[in-house]
Amino acid sequence: TQSTGSEGIPLVKEICLVGLGWQRQRPHLLVLIEEDLHIYTAFPYCTEDPHGLKVRFSKLDHEVLIKKKKMRGSNKLIEVDSHAHYTPRIRSFSNISGYSGLFICVETPYWFMKPHRNILDYQLLTSF
């Protein structure tokens, strides 16, 4: 079941704009819509219009799966996604062994980093 806005549009749960890469110079926009994570990278864009936006966003493909955590109740599944106290699921970090990036706090957590080759890399956090 998806919760939607008044016009049937899926609700945006979280937005995070963060610089990644060397000296955090590459802006990335992460948007969590329901159970979907959308990642965009910003790049400069020149336009003839002096009042026009000088930046554009390009969507990045990824295979990250976001699922709502469910617990077994009496005879039905109870969703734990509470709106009473919302804890951000997209968290940035910096200078961990020289890396900066994002940690996606979901049922199957992911690390997002942009190492020297300037390609966004993500790793599933697995148990030891």
Side-chain angles (χ1 to χ4, degrees), residues 8-9 12 15 18 20 26 29 35 44 50 68 70 83-86 101 126:
I9 299 171
V12 173
I15 295 175
V18 65
L20 296 176
R26 301 290 301 182
L29 177 68
E35 295 182 16
K68 286 184 183 176
K70 296 184 179 184
H83 296 291
H85 177 70
Y86 187 79
T126 56

Side-chain angles (χ1 to χ4, degrees), residues 45-100:
Y45 182 81
C46 295
T47 177
E48 300 289 325
D49 183 10
H51 303 292
L53 189 62
K54 304 289 187 205
V55 67
R56 295 288 190 260
F57 289 91
S58 174
K59 189 171 183 179
L60 300 177
D61 292 328
H62 63 84
E63 297 173 1
V64 174
L65 300 175
I66 308 289
K67 292 189 246 176
K68 286 184 183 176
K69 190 172 183 179
K70 296 184 179 184
M71 295 173 46
R72 286 238 172 237
S74 49
N75 285 331
K76 59 183 178 178
L77 289 174
I78 302 169
E79 290 189 10
V80 178
D81 192 26
S82 172
H83 296 291
H85 177 70
Y86 187 79
T87 304
R89 291 187 269 177
I90 303 172
R91 300 182 185 188
S92 64
F93 64 88
S94 62
N95 201 16
I96 296 179
S97 293
Y99 289 99
S100 63

